[in-house]
Amino acid sequence: VENRVPVATINRRLSTLRHFGRFLTSYQTLDFNFMEGIENATSVKKPQANAISIINEFRAHLEAEKSSPNTIKNYLSDVRQFLSWLETNQETLNSKS
């Protein structure tokens, strides 16, 4: 959308990838469908989720998987550093795509 590709083209490409993902899993080439949960683009931008809520959901996910407290602490630290880096470099990344 940011590169001004028509929404219909984006959705066609997403549909192709969803079908390809189902194909690969049905032939047991992959153990998971990499497109599971990916929805079509809309012409109206949806607001991005708050980083804090994403981190909290990730923490809950790790706790549900019974990860050790040290692993949870380290993973959350890594995610926070990545999100900080992403925020700092967002303009540079957008100009390359």
Side-chain angles (χ1 to χ4, degrees), residues 17-34:
L17 290 171
R18 281 192 292 270
H19 280 83
F20 187 57
R22 284 192 297 268
F23 166 79
L24 292 174
T25 54
S26 70
Y27 280 86
Q28 298 177 343
T29 304
L30 292 178
D31 294 334
F32 66 99
N33 184 349
F34 60 91

Side-chain angles (χ1 to χ4, degrees), residues 32-88:
F32 66 99
N33 184 349
F34 60 91
M35 289 298 291
E36 189 73 32
I38 304 297
E39 298 177 5
N40 279 349
T42 61
S43 57
V44 177
K45 281 189 169 182
K46 295 179 183 177
Q48 291 185 338
N50 186 327
I52 294 172
S53 66
I54 291 172
I55 290 171
N56 288 335
E57 287 180 35
F58 185 48
R59 177 195 316 270
H61 170 76
L62 293 171
E63 289 169 349
E65 286 190 334
K66 300 192 185 320
S67 299
S68 75
N70 201 34
T71 297
I72 293 171
K73 178 184 71 109
N74 289 335
Y75 281 12
L76 294 179
S77 175
D78 292 343
V79 167
R80 283 187 197 99
Q81 287 180 351
F82 171 73
L83 292 175
S84 175
W85 174 86
L86 188 61
E87 185 178 338
T88 303

